[in-house]
Each structure stands twice: as structure tokens, then as C-alpha cells.
Amino acid sequence: MADTAPAPGGDSAGSRGGFGRGGSRGGGRGRGRGRGNRTGRGGGDSKEWYPCTKLGRLVKDGMIKKIEEIYLFSLPIKEAEIIDFFLGSKLKDEVLKIMPVQKQTRAGQRTRFKAFVAIGDYDGHIGLGVKCSKEVATAIRGAIILAKLSVIPVRRGYWGNKIGMPHTVPCKVTGKCGSVLVRLVPAPRGTGLVSAPVPKKLLNMAGFEDCYTCATGQTATLGNFAKATFAAIAATYAYLTPDMWSPTVFTNSPYQEYTDYLAKPFVKQPKKEVKY
């Protein structure tokens, strides 16, 4: 009957293994393409980070103090935990779009889901990730990791007099992907972000307050529209303006500076057993 006692050590249906339906349809797993309960997506695991790269070792052991030191020497970031270490509490992610894509096989179509995720701290750092997977939740999780690996610094500037904090793009910049071409134009303070919804999200996450935009091409293709905007934002540091003409003082890269430290073998610290 309906009032039978649940199995010991768990719920009547949701926690039991096997192939049966259990007491309720779905077995407590949620419905709707696996998109239920994505709390703290991308960083829900509280496992300790064991770095796999030299850069990860230097970051975790405190040899590199700021993320700008990594960008200064153009060191490739291969671990998403490096971004979490520096920007973890500030980063916010947003799913721009989830679209089904199909591949024709002999047995029919194979459908997968493609996720576009933007990530930023609203203060000069932004990343964009694209991932395709059989399940929506897996695609979103992978896109967040790829977005963290692609985080770039954003340069901001002024429209007129240099009063207050930088608020707009430093100069006119252009980004292109596919047929979509996006142009960012400096705007006076108080203008706001004059753009379509997709670039507005990215510009806002990057920390811009005022900006004019101009877009041509098939902007209905959201993926290319987002990538073109990301390319335009990345181009802000590609121009050597007169205020950056001062002589550069070259220093050793972290790999050279800490060569002796990196030569030592990395040993995992054993976990301490807690006795009750």
C-alpha cells in the first residue's frame, strides 16, 4: 500500500538503486533535459586543488601575487582553478544561449546541446566559453571551464577629459566572427551601453559603463555575435597609444625567476585523518 515503510537508510524511491520506477515518476531526478538545481555551477566541488602545471604550482604557493603578472608575460593558463584563485569570489557567469545541434548518422540524427557562457567580474576581466555535450548540464559546466580559461584583461579609457575613473573603450575597436562585424565606439559619460542585448551583457560584464556599438552581418547568429564582441573587447589592449610609450623595464618571467623552485619534484600533501 501507499503507507509502507521506506527502505532503511534512505528515501523510498529517490535513493534506491535498480531499474524500477520507485514510488514517484522520475525518481527525484528532476525533469526537463537535466537543467534542474544548478547551484554554484562550475565550482560546486570542494575538492582540494592539486596543480598540474608549473604556473599552477607558482600560483598556489603564492609566488605569483596578481593575475596581471600572468598577462604581462603572456603565460598560457591551462587550469581553470588559477582564475578561481585570483577572481573566484568576483566572477559571475551567465548562460547566453543553449541550442540543439544535430549530426546525421546511419541510425538517424544524433542530437547534442551547445552552450554559450559568458563570465566576468564587472571590473576589467571577461571570458567566453562554448561547449557541446549530450546533456545540457554537462555542456554548461564545460562552457564555464572554457570561459575561465579564456579570461582576458580589458582596457578602459575616457571619451574626453580624464576625470574620474575610466568608463568607456579607449579607442574605436573592431571584432569579427563569421559575417558579423562589431565596432565599439567611445561614448561620453552618462550615455550608457547603446547596443543589442548580446553585446550589452558582455560589455557590462567587462566593466564598461558607456559605449556606442555598430554591428553588421547576420547578427541573429548569437554565437558569432558574441564571439565578435569578445574579439572587439580583446582588441582594446592591442593598440599602443601614446600614453603607453614609456620605456619598458624588462624583468625575468616567473619561470626564470623561480627555476630552482620548479626544479624540485611536486609532492602531494597526504590528507590528515580525523579520528572520532
Side-chain angles (χ1 to χ4, degrees):
M1 299 293 291
D3 344 290
T4 53
D11 300 335
S12 59
S15 63
R16 191 175 68 225
F19 294 96
R21 270 191 190 172
S24 61
R25 182 164 183 167
R29 292 186 298 273
R31 305 291 300 276
R33 301 194 301 184
R35 295 185 63 185
N37 194 15
R38 293 198 311 267
T39 55
R41 54 187 180 223
D45 298 332
S46 58
K47 296 178 183 176
E48 188 179 353
W49 170 39
Y50 292 110
C52 304
T53 59
K54 291 180 181 179
L55 183 61
R57 287 177 60 189
L58 294 176
V59 168
K60 187 176 181 183
D61 295 336
M63 307 293 181
I64 296 177
K65 308 293 183 186
K66 297 184 295 183
I67 194 171
E68 281 70 28
E69 295 179 36
I70 299 174
Y71 296 134
L72 178 64
F73 295 99
S74 300
L75 302 178
I77 298 175
K78 302 287 187 182
E79 297 178 83
E81 289 84 0
I82 294 174
I83 301 298
D84 288 330
F85 186 88
F86 290 114
L87 307 173
S89 58
K90 302 177 187 176
L91 283 178
K92 307 290 181 188
D93 59 78
E94 184 167 348
V95 179
L96 300 178
K97 187 178 184 181
I98 298 170
M99 57 182 289
V101 291
Q102 290 184 328
K103 176 184 177 182
Q104 188 69 38
T105 62
R106 286 187 298 175
Q109 292 97 3
R110 188 186 70 180
T111 303
R112 295 197 298 172
F113 298 100
K114 192 176 184 181
F116 296 87
V117 174
I119 195 166
D121 63 350
Y122 296 84
D123 191 25
H125 297 94
I126 188 169
L128 181 68
V130 183
K131 181 68 177 175
C132 198
S133 182
K134 291 183 193 174
E135 296 183 7
V136 175
T138 312
I140 292 174
R141 209 176 306 121
I144 289 172
I145 292 171
L146 292 177
K148 287 179 181 176
L149 294 177
S150 69
V151 167
I152 55 169
V154 177
R155 186 180 174 205
R156 289 168 288 180
Y158 299 89
W159 174 78
N161 292 331
K162 296 182 179 179
I163 301 171
M165 298 296 291
H167 61 99
T168 185
V169 288
C171 57
K172 295 176 184 177
V173 288
T174 305
K176 193 172 189 299
C177 181
S179 69
V180 182
L181 187 141
V182 174
R183 192 177 190 222
L184 306 181
V185 181
R189 199 180 293 274
T191 303
L193 299 174
V194 184
S195 73
V198 174
K200 183 177 282 190
K201 288 178 184 176
L202 293 171
L203 291 169
N204 191 27
M205 281 185 161
F208 293 111
E209 298 172 16
D210 313 288
C211 187
Y212 292 125
T213 62
C214 172
T216 61
Q218 192 70 23
T219 54
T221 310
L222 186 142
N224 288 354
F225 203 8
K227 287 179 182 178
T229 307
F230 183 70
I233 294 172
T236 54
Y237 261 116
Y239 288 93
L240 190 64
T241 50
D243 58 337
M244 299 172 71
W245 285 358
S246 55
T248 305
V249 180
F250 292 101
T251 57
N252 289 334
S253 74
Y255 292 157
Q256 289 177 305
E257 191 173 347
Y258 300 106
T259 303
D260 297 334
Y261 175 80
L262 292 171
K264 299 175 185 176
F266 175 69
V267 181
K268 281 187 180 181
Q269 297 296 329
K271 292 184 179 179
K272 295 180 181 178
E273 294 184 3
V274 182
K275 296 182 179 179
Y276 296 100

